[in-house]
Amino acid sequence: MAVKALAERHLAYLRRGRYLNLSRSWQNRLEIRWADTLEDRWAAFSLVHDEYLRLGYIARPTPSKMMYRLHHVLPTSATLLLTDDSKVIGTLTHVLDTDPYGLPMDKIYHGELQALRRRGRRLAELSALAVRRDYCLQSLFMLLVRAAYGYALEQQVTDFCIMVHPRHAPFYRTVFLFEDLGPERPYFLVNAPAVALRADLLTFSKRLRDLLNGREGHGSLDAFLHQPWEEATGWRHVHRTLSAPQPLSAKDMQTLLATEPAWVDDLDTFQRRSVNELCRVPFRLH
């Protein structure tokens, strides 16, 4: 009975939110690609800042009017952009777990992540998600998710880990079959509570098929995530540039760290030495 109820909620979420209904009017306007330049990252992190400020996750504008952390500029992290005629309307950053930096959510869920690492899991965090308010369509969010999911499989990630506001957790549990990883805790960076969730990518597709047992009908989430882009969206062509993302140059990384220097203030000695090997830790600009 519980499985049947979960399946019904899953399908209801997708139907009500029209998550998999992508209007053909978008196909000649939208492009999804990696943020490979400093200007791209600037646009992505500015969008995150503006949306977090609007939602009350940050109390006041940052000096740079951008929102990001050290993890978001590391060479092992990749930021997606969704653009409408070159205007950035959505972004999401895929942060690969690394030594010595870990993941952004290590700040409050280090013990839970360590338990997964001890089991040999390869983790990635989906972070800094934002879609412009005037484009806040669930189907556009799904384009970012699909690209991040494909990249994670290429990187042999076994688990997606996320921190979300407790009110959003039922959506992720129901639609993407995330499981609880850590309890609700205050998250000081965004002035809101958070819960930690985890999705096992090795079993996700099978768990989803087993849950629905052929009941999904036309346009299943599993098909959307695994079919070629054009079949998944129903568009003639999906404008995309999703080959290997290019890391920022040392100069660009240093520029971003100088613009928001607080993100390197609490590094331990080993982490600071490691950052200096990537780019010299900058002086503050403000």
Side-chain angles (χ1 to χ4, degrees):
M1 185 62 71
V3 172
K4 181 179 178 181
L6 177 59
E8 290 174 350
R9 291 199 305 273
H10 171 91
L11 295 172
Y13 260 118
L14 294 180
R15 283 195 302 266
R16 287 199 306 266
R18 299 178 62 82
Y19 283 93
L20 303 181
N21 295 91
L22 287 147
S23 171
R24 292 185 178 180
S25 64
W26 290 110
Q27 64 184 333
N28 294 320
R29 295 170 52 183
L30 296 187
E31 179 184 11
I32 189 164
R33 60 184 177 84
W34 296 113
D36 286 339
T37 67
L38 178 62
E39 292 73 21
D40 285 342
R41 300 291 180 102
W42 211 282
F45 301 149
S46 295
L47 175 59
V48 175
H49 172 275
D50 293 349
E51 289 303 307
Y52 279 27
L53 184 64
R54 179 181 67 82
L55 293 167
Y57 291 158
I58 52 177
R60 60 185 62 84
T62 66
S64 68
K65 293 184 171 54
M66 291 189 288
M67 186 73 181
Y68 58 94
R69 298 186 63 184
L70 168 64
H71 292 87
H72 299 114
V73 304
L74 291 173
T76 48
S77 296
T79 296
L80 284 161
L81 292 181
L82 185 64
T83 63
D84 176 14
D85 290 335
S86 301
K87 176 173 58 178
V88 175
I89 63 170
T91 184
L92 174 65
T93 296
H94 179 287
V95 181
L96 193 62
D97 191 26
T98 58
D99 186 19
Y101 305 109
L103 297 173
M105 58 192 290
D106 267 297
K107 282 290 183 186
I108 57 174
Y109 292 107
H110 180 69
E112 290 85 350
L113 295 173
Q114 282 293 88
L116 291 175
R117 292 172 182 130
R118 285 194 293 269
R119 291 166 49 192
R121 309 294 290 189
R122 181 169 170 83
L123 313 180
E125 182 174 345
L126 298 181
S127 179
L129 166 67
V131 177
R132 272 181 54 143
R133 182 183 184 184
D134 49 337
Y135 285 82
C136 200
L137 300 174
Q138 289 89 331
S139 55
L140 301 186
F141 156 74
M142 293 299 284
L143 292 175
L144 294 167
V145 171
R146 188 194 192 283
Y149 176 75
Y151 180 66
L153 296 184
E154 292 174 3
Q155 297 298 307
Q156 299 182 313
V157 169
T158 63
D159 298 83
F160 270 156
C161 300
I162 60 173
M163 288 188 298
V164 297
H165 194 287
R167 68 170 176 262
H168 299 312
F171 166 78
Y172 287 95
R173 294 188 189 107
T174 303
V175 175
F176 298 109
L177 308 187
F178 273 83
E179 300 170 329
D180 292 339
L181 177 62
E184 180 177 326
R185 291 173 184 156
Y187 187 37
F188 65 96
L189 285 177
V190 295
N191 191 35
V195 294
L197 304 175
R198 166 234 179 185
D200 183 337
L201 300 189
L202 299 181
T203 64
F204 168 71
S205 188
K206 183 179 185 303
R207 287 186 294 121
L208 187 58
R209 291 195 301 270
D210 289 347
L211 173 70
L212 299 177
N213 195 24
R215 300 171 53 210
E216 63 270 29
H218 177 69
S220 73
L221 177 60
D222 188 61
F224 177 79
L225 292 173
H226 293 97
Q227 286 178 337
W229 276 90
E230 282 71 21
E231 291 182 38
T233 59
W235 295 351
R236 289 190 306 274
H237 180 65
V238 178
H239 298 280
R240 61 193 186 276
T241 306
L242 294 173
S243 55
Q246 300 301 306
L248 293 172
S249 68
K251 180 180 179 182
D252 289 345
M253 185 176 172
Q254 185 180 42
T255 297
L256 285 167
L257 293 181
T259 305
E260 285 291 349
W263 301 135
V264 298
D265 285 351
D266 61 350
L267 297 182
D268 62 34
T269 301
F270 184 49
Q271 290 173 329
R272 184 171 288 270
R273 186 182 308 120
S274 298
V275 171
N276 268 315
E277 292 176 359
L278 297 172
C279 72
R280 185 172 297 279
V281 176
F283 294 105
R284 291 178 177 270
L285 296 183
H286 45 72

